[in-house]
Amino acid sequence: MDVSRFHSYLNSVVSILHQYDGRQPLAIFLKQFFAANRKYGSKDRKLILHLCYCYFRLGKALPAITAGERALLGLYLCSMETNELLATLKAQYNDSVNLPLAGKLELIQKGNFIEDVFPWAGELSASIDHSKLCRSFFVRPDLFLRIRPGKKEYVSQKLSATGIEFRERGENCLALSNTPGLEELFEMNRDIVVQDYNSQRVGEFIRIGLAGKSGPGTFRVWDCCAASGGKSIMAFDLDPAINLTVSDIRESILANLKKRFAEAGIRKYKAFPIDLSIPISTLTTHDSQLTIPDSPFDLIICDVPCTGSGTWSRTPEQLYYFEKNTIGEYVRLQRKIISNTIPQLQKDGFFLYITCSVFKKENEEQVDFICEKFGLEIKRMEVLEGYEMKADTLFAALLVKPY
């Protein structure tokens, strides 16, 4: 057994962690690191990457232990099968690695370790189970696919024919345990859309909004923080006749959206960059006041920037580097966006407020703000808990403007 090889892996992980400061996604940092250090083979890269993620999955717990010990403990808690690295460097972990997480936590006897992983229990939305949320950080989330209309039989048969295991999680939702070369099997965005389970469930709220339209004319939808357009594509699939407007603060991401729309077969829409933290009445374009095309809208989809805390099982480095005061910064930004978009909503129109956050200040308390300041009424509001589905946790509230 080559003990030095496994010590070398761990030393590489420690070196990487000393260089990484959390300012960019870990996946991007590691890609750049390996590009600059060609000595690592594909097997080396895979193991080192996994150990780095295991390190961050401990969140805020056990800050005093060494980086190497932290990575090994994370590997132990995340693993269900024996492996050579644990057998060589931490035999006592490897001997009990097949225990469920509860059994492992009992063995390591490190006080309130699991609660310390995510120490902000008092900040959570009311329905979220703190203990289950903490445990979810040690489980790798699934990859979820949304099947486009008319493609279900084709997609299912092709996955089965290639031996890729999948589980149905809804009428058009599939869960996969890993990320095989889907781009080689399917036309992305035309056949399937990679979209989290609970992001797909937001379609239930969009469907209610679309069902509220009455009389002749096209239903006007504004996806005001559209990012790469996943929810817009879903809205189009629910009703291809909608009059769709999309915007985002970043022109670069709108370019990606336009590419995805072309792949998805969406041709008729309006897209423009806008900073919605600034009052629209003060914005200009070509020396004239900016106006939002097709305003007022029947439905505004407002998926606001947020802490992203509901997605930290995918990006545990964000959990590790998070500071509580960041919540307030996002709350203030969200209120600016809310205040600048709701005036673009017509009477009897729907406002769909969405976050991928688990914090009540970004969720229920923002809905209270919307109701109190703008007089909107709640049609449906729900925390879409993902920690028992190996999915993200989202929050969605559909509100209606009664006058």
Side-chain angles (χ1 to χ4, degrees):
M1 186 178 295
D2 188 356
V3 177
S4 62
R5 177 165 63 95
F6 293 111
H7 278 294
S8 177
Y9 283 137
L10 197 59
N11 289 337
S12 293
V13 169
V14 172
S15 175
I16 289 169
L17 294 171
H18 284 158
Q19 297 174 53
Y20 180 64
D21 60 9
R23 294 184 184 181
Q24 63 183 144
L26 179 59
I28 294 176
F29 177 85
L30 289 173
K31 184 177 181 180
Q32 294 172 347
F33 175 85
F34 290 132
N37 295 270
R38 298 286 186 177
K39 65 179 181 178
Y40 297 102
S42 60
K43 184 178 178 181
D44 302 329
R45 293 194 300 269
K46 184 176 180 180
L47 179 55
I48 291 169
L49 183 148
H50 182 53
L51 281 168
C52 288
Y53 274 95
C54 288
Y55 170 95
F56 287 115
R57 289 191 179 281
L58 272 64
K60 296 292 187 178
L62 306 176
I65 65 174
T66 67
E69 178 64 25
R70 185 182 179 90
L72 290 174
L73 178 57
L75 177 62
Y76 169 59
L77 295 175
C78 293
S79 302
M80 287 303 295
E81 297 179 354
T82 59
N83 64 76
E84 285 186 280
L85 190 146
L86 280 180
T88 305
L89 301 183
K90 206 76 173 178
Q92 64 269 39
Y93 284 170
N94 199 54
D95 292 342
S96 58
V97 75
N98 58 350
L99 287 176
L101 181 61
K104 294 176 184 177
L105 293 173
E106 186 175 342
L107 280 177
I108 64 174
Q109 295 182 340
K110 292 189 180 293
N112 295 324
F113 163 74
I114 197 66
E115 288 77 13
D116 292 339
V117 170
F118 183 102
W120 310 285
E123 299 292 332
L124 291 173
S125 289
S127 66
I128 292 177
D129 186 309
H130 178 235
S131 179
K132 290 180 179 178
L133 177 66
C134 289
R135 284 166 167 76
S136 73
F137 295 119
F138 300 100
V139 179
R140 182 181 178 182
D142 281 338
L143 172 75
F144 293 92
L145 307 179
R146 184 174 66 81
I147 305 173
R148 298 292 307 285
K151 300 289 187 175
K152 185 172 184 178
E153 184 176 356
Y154 168 73
V155 170
S156 299
Q157 287 181 352
K158 197 157 190 178
L159 288 172
S160 297
T162 52
I164 296 174
E165 295 183 1
F166 62 90
R167 300 170 302 285
E168 294 190 8
R169 288 290 180 259
E171 184 179 355
N172 294 302
C173 178
L174 303 179
L176 284 67
S177 297
N178 50 37
T179 56
L182 295 173
E183 295 85 356
E184 299 173 5
L185 290 175
F186 302 107
E187 292 186 66
M188 302 301 293
N189 300 309
R190 183 173 294 277
D191 298 329
I192 57 172
V193 175
V194 175
Q195 189 170 33
D196 180 75
Y197 170 74
N198 278 322
S199 185
Q200 294 187 45
R201 284 198 60 203
V202 170
E204 300 169 16
F205 293 76
I206 295 175
R207 193 187 301 272
I208 294 171
L210 294 175
K213 65 180 180 180
S214 59
T218 303
F219 198 70
R220 292 161 297 178
V221 177
W222 180 24
D223 190 351
C224 65
C225 301
S228 58
K231 293 181 179 66
S232 289
I233 298 173
M234 185 162 58
F236 174 85
D237 286 348
L238 291 169
D239 185 354
I242 59 173
N243 189 347
L244 182 60
T245 298
V246 294
S247 63
D248 197 272
I249 191 173
R250 301 155 294 182
E251 291 197 49
S252 59
I253 206 163
L254 283 176
N256 183 40
L257 175 148
K258 291 174 183 178
K259 177 178 180 292
R260 291 188 74 196
F261 276 16
E263 294 168 344
I266 301 175
R267 304 280 184 264
K268 187 179 178 181
Y269 65 94
K270 300 176 181 68
F272 59 94
I274 186 172
D275 182 353
L276 288 170
S277 69
I278 301 171
I280 293 172
S281 61
T282 67
L283 297 174
T284 60
T285 178
H286 304 300
D287 298 322
S288 61
Q289 183 178 336
L290 182 145
T291 58
I292 308 299
D294 297 323
S295 178
F297 294 92
D298 302 284
L299 169 64
I300 296 176
I301 301 171
C302 189
D303 190 351
V304 291
C306 68
T307 57
S309 45
T311 69
W312 285 347
S313 59
R314 296 185 191 277
T315 55
E317 71 273 19
Q318 294 184 27
L319 165 63
Y320 179 86
Y321 283 105
F322 180 75
E323 297 298 335
K324 183 180 172 181
N325 60 6
T326 307
I327 302 174
E329 296 172 10
Y330 277 107
V331 167
R332 289 186 286 274
L333 174 60
Q334 291 157 3
R335 292 197 176 184
K336 289 178 182 179
I337 293 172
I338 289 166
S339 299
N340 291 326
T341 52
I342 286 182
Q344 307 297 320
L345 189 65
Q346 75 163 12
K347 179 182 179 295
D348 296 326
F350 289 93
F351 186 78
L352 177 53
Y353 176 78
I354 308 164
T355 76
C356 50
S357 173
V358 297
F359 295 123
K360 60 187 174 185
K361 285 185 173 66
E362 297 185 275
N363 297 341
E364 295 92 341
E365 292 185 15
Q366 293 293 48
V367 173
D368 291 341
F369 167 77
I370 293 169
C371 294
E372 292 168 9
K373 182 168 183 178
F374 298 99
L376 271 63
E377 298 175 355
I378 300 171
K379 184 79 172 179
R380 178 177 172 182
M381 181 172 72
E382 187 176 352
V383 176
L384 305 173
E385 297 153 6
Y387 41 76
E388 292 187 298
M389 292 290 295
K390 299 172 76 172
D392 298 339
T393 292
L394 274 69
F395 174 83
L398 184 68
L399 303 101
V400 62
K401 184 178 182 180
Y403 53 84

